[in-house]
Amino acid sequence: MYLEPFKLKELPFRLSPDPQFLYLSKQHARAKAYMESTLWFTDGFVVITGEIGSGKTTLIESFLKEVPADVVVAQINQTQVSAIDFLQAVLLQFGFSPFKMRKAELISTINNFLVEQYAAGRKVLLIVDEAQNLTMRVLEEIRLLSGVETTKDKVLRIILAGQPELNDKLDAPELAQLMQRVRLRFHLQTLAEAETKSYIQHRLDVAGAGDREIFAPDTYTEVYRYCGGVPRLINTLCDTAMMAAYTADRGAVTRADIISAVRELQWVEYSARPRPPTTTPPQQPQQPPPQPPQSEPETALAAAASGAEPGTTVARLLVATEGRTVQEIPLRIGRVIIGRTPDNDVQIDSRFISRHHCQVITTAHSCHIEDLNSTNGIYVKAARVRRHHLNDGDVVLVGKHELIYVDERAARGRGAFADPASGGVSFSDTAPGRHTPAGAPAAAAGADRKRAERPPSADRTAVTERTAPADEPAPLK
């Protein structure tokens, strides 16, 4: 094969859903966050749809790799089954031998198992892939299972993933009761042209390409023309093109190799492909994924912000490096994705930052930062974390940059802003990178204390507040 000539460790464009190759576009990151929300709520019920090859199964496999040990998972992939077959498949995943059970016994066994797991402090999650093949009777059984509950909570979390036809079934009048229990629905669109390029480069990086340019710059437009941003089609075309380059004894894939692969596959342009009409559920682009229930202190702290308008700045994130604050990011209710490439909401152009490194999700009551499977991770108090609830003054290390969180809701709740009449200066009056004058919010001072408490590291320079020189770097774009 072409591994040795291209100096790769493994095949970059295999069709199998390998979680380590997952490319988290903004849409995929949101869909994964929705999946994770099923673990935060006892009534978690999420529906994810997308075209064939859009990455649904890879998302599920990536999500399952990160599921905590206290979660019992039943994953169903064969969905052209009867209601009894489906119930048997669920019990088989739970470790039972159900093939001689009648339907009533199947249902009773599942119900008892769910209640027992709840009593033992474990969560139970049912994941059904290719759910568009489920019959109405099976979907009705899922509705009944979703209703199993104790006196306090429901005991089964559910994720349904499938092609767009699943939406048609779920919107049928006879499934109205099932849809009332669905907490979130999301449809994965195809990748944009810029995302297609990033997707290809990401998979090559994971396979060991490093900074080497294996695909010529003019190949990406051709790939998008024939693949339309569908990940599975991209994998097929790129793998075939790499074989074409290998057989032609070329060290890089050229546009001619892409065209040769298209002819070999007998493809037409993606826009000319016949596609069945699909229905897409209403999207909620402004609605961030739901957050885990907050503790009482956090809820009390955020009470002052509970009436915040969607466009109101509720917090700020300072980006600092080499002792200077180089950017100030206003945080409003919603999501901010941070990474190295221009398609992020906030770009940090550093080789220590992954293409899509992390995301900050802000609600009216809380804010948290989450790693997006980056190479170098995110650190709080010298410990690598996957998700961290941000408190006023927290400092998060990403690569060689520091993100300093200033919660304006907390500052207002404490009355931390000085009275202008007394000569105090509010946070908004303090320019990035400059010394914080007396009377500035306690949040900024808290950030100083947290930075001072952190152990020194050879990989970073602690942020210090000082008067900015004339040649201070411009804010990142």
Side-chain angles (χ1 to χ4, degrees):
M1 291 293 288
Y2 53 71
L3 288 181
E4 185 175 347
F6 287 107
K7 298 180 175 59
L8 299 175
K9 297 180 296 184
E10 52 188 315
L11 296 173
F13 298 109
R14 289 178 298 185
L15 296 182
S16 56
D18 189 340
Q20 72 168 329
F21 282 94
L22 175 64
Y23 169 72
L24 278 178
S25 68
K26 289 183 181 180
Q27 290 191 76
H28 287 78
R30 184 182 293 272
K32 188 178 179 185
Y34 283 4
M35 290 182 184
E36 292 170 347
S37 75
T38 59
L39 304 181
W40 304 339
F41 298 97
T42 57
D43 61 345
F45 196 143
V46 172
V47 176
I48 304 293
T49 56
E51 297 290 348
I52 299 172
S54 59
K56 301 181 296 295
T57 303
T58 306
L59 264 179
I60 290 173
E61 294 301 322
S62 175
F63 165 65
L64 287 175
K65 283 188 64 176
E66 301 169 4
V67 167
D70 66 341
V71 179
V72 180
V73 179
Q75 183 179 6
I76 308 298
N77 298 314
Q78 301 296 328
T79 52
Q80 292 181 325
V81 293
S82 67
I84 290 180
D85 291 337
F86 179 81
L87 295 173
Q88 289 175 337
V90 171
L91 277 176
L92 192 63
Q93 288 284 305
F94 290 150
F96 292 85
S97 180
F99 299 110
K100 294 183 179 180
M101 296 182 184
R102 295 178 179 271
K103 184 176 180 180
E105 189 178 359
L106 291 169
I107 294 173
S108 176
T109 303
I110 293 176
N111 291 352
N112 290 337
F113 176 80
L114 294 176
V115 174
E116 288 170 1
Q117 296 304 304
Y118 177 86
R122 289 186 286 270
K123 303 171 184 176
V124 182
L125 173 63
L126 171 63
I127 300 177
V128 183
D129 200 1
E130 301 296 337
Q132 76 279 353
N133 296 325
L134 296 174
T135 65
M136 291 295 187
R137 287 190 176 184
V138 173
L139 288 168
E140 176 61 14
E141 294 296 339
I142 291 175
R143 181 189 72 81
L144 294 173
L145 289 177
S146 71
V148 179
E149 57 189 11
T150 65
T151 55
K152 294 180 61 178
D153 298 309
K154 294 188 182 298
V155 294
L156 180 64
R157 289 121 164 120
I158 298 173
I159 296 174
L160 300 183
Q163 295 169 26
E165 298 84 55
L166 176 60
N167 291 319
D168 297 328
K169 287 189 174 181
L170 294 177
D171 290 333
E174 55 266 42
L175 291 179
Q177 292 185 63
L178 174 64
M179 283 310 302
Q180 289 174 5
R181 298 184 179 179
V182 173
R183 178 178 281 272
L184 291 167
R185 294 174 75 176
F186 188 77
H187 183 77
L188 278 171
Q189 303 286 351
T190 55
L191 300 175
E193 184 170 351
E195 290 176 320
T196 297
K197 179 179 179 180
S198 297
Y199 173 86
I200 294 170
Q201 292 176 337
H202 168 75
R203 294 189 71 100
L204 288 169
D205 284 349
V206 174
D211 295 330
R212 289 179 290 118
E213 190 176 78
I214 292 180
F215 278 67
D218 60 352
T219 58
Y220 299 107
T221 299
E222 295 299 325
V223 172
Y224 183 75
R225 178 178 300 162
Y226 288 96
C227 299
V230 178
R232 186 178 299 169
L233 297 181
I234 296 171
N235 289 352
T236 300
L237 181 56
C238 288
D239 181 72
T240 308
M242 291 188 75
M243 282 296 297
Y246 166 66
T247 56
D249 199 24
R250 280 193 282 269
V253 177
T254 65
R255 181 177 178 276
D257 296 318
I258 299 293
I259 300 303
S260 174
V262 167
R263 290 172 180 166
E264 181 178 335
L265 294 167
Q266 299 182 21
W267 282 5
V268 296
E269 291 188 12
Y270 184 79
S271 60
R273 285 175 175 248
R275 291 191 297 277
T278 61
T279 58
T280 302
Q283 297 297 301
Q284 299 172 324
Q286 301 302 321
Q287 176 185 349
Q291 304 305 305
Q294 303 298 309
S295 64
E296 290 184 4
E298 290 171 323
T299 303
L301 184 65
S306 59
E309 296 294 331
T312 302
T313 297
V314 295
R316 297 181 186 273
L317 205 62
L318 307 183
V319 182
T321 184
E322 297 181 350
R324 297 192 301 275
T325 301
V326 295
Q327 187 175 13
E328 179 182 307
I329 306 165
L331 296 179
R332 302 175 179 87
I333 294 175
R335 175 194 304 270
V336 172
I337 296 181
I338 301 170
R340 190 178 72 244
T341 53
D343 60 325
N344 291 277
D345 299 311
V346 176
Q347 181 186 8
I348 300 179
D349 190 7
S350 166
R351 61 191 179 94
F352 299 101
I353 302 293
S354 295
R355 285 193 173 89
H356 300 92
H357 198 101
C358 60
Q359 61 183 354
V360 178
I361 300 174
T362 305
T363 71
H365 300 283
S366 67
C367 184
H368 78 262
I369 187 168
E370 179 179 353
D371 186 15
L372 295 178
N373 294 328
S374 64
T375 300
N376 293 322
I378 61 177
Y379 289 79
V380 177
K381 295 182 179 178
R384 184 165 181 167
V385 297
R386 193 173 72 85
R387 181 188 292 112
H388 175 71
H389 283 273
L390 292 167
N391 296 307
D392 186 34
D394 276 355
V395 179
V396 182
L397 184 66
V398 291
K400 290 195 172 183
H401 287 70
E402 288 179 315
L403 306 179
I404 306 160
Y405 179 71
V406 180
D407 191 333
E408 295 194 344
R409 298 166 293 192
R412 285 194 292 269
R414 291 192 306 265
F417 286 95
D419 184 353
S422 65
V425 182
S426 71
F427 177 79
S428 59
D429 294 327
T430 306
R434 298 189 182 278
H435 179 71
T436 304
D448 291 342
R449 288 194 299 273
K450 293 202 175 190
R451 291 197 298 275
E453 292 168 0
R454 297 173 60 189
S457 169
D459 294 332
R460 63 177 176 83
T461 303
V463 176
T464 57
E465 293 184 336
R466 58 178 179 77
T467 303
D471 59 347
E472 181 175 341
L476 298 174
K477 297 181 179 179

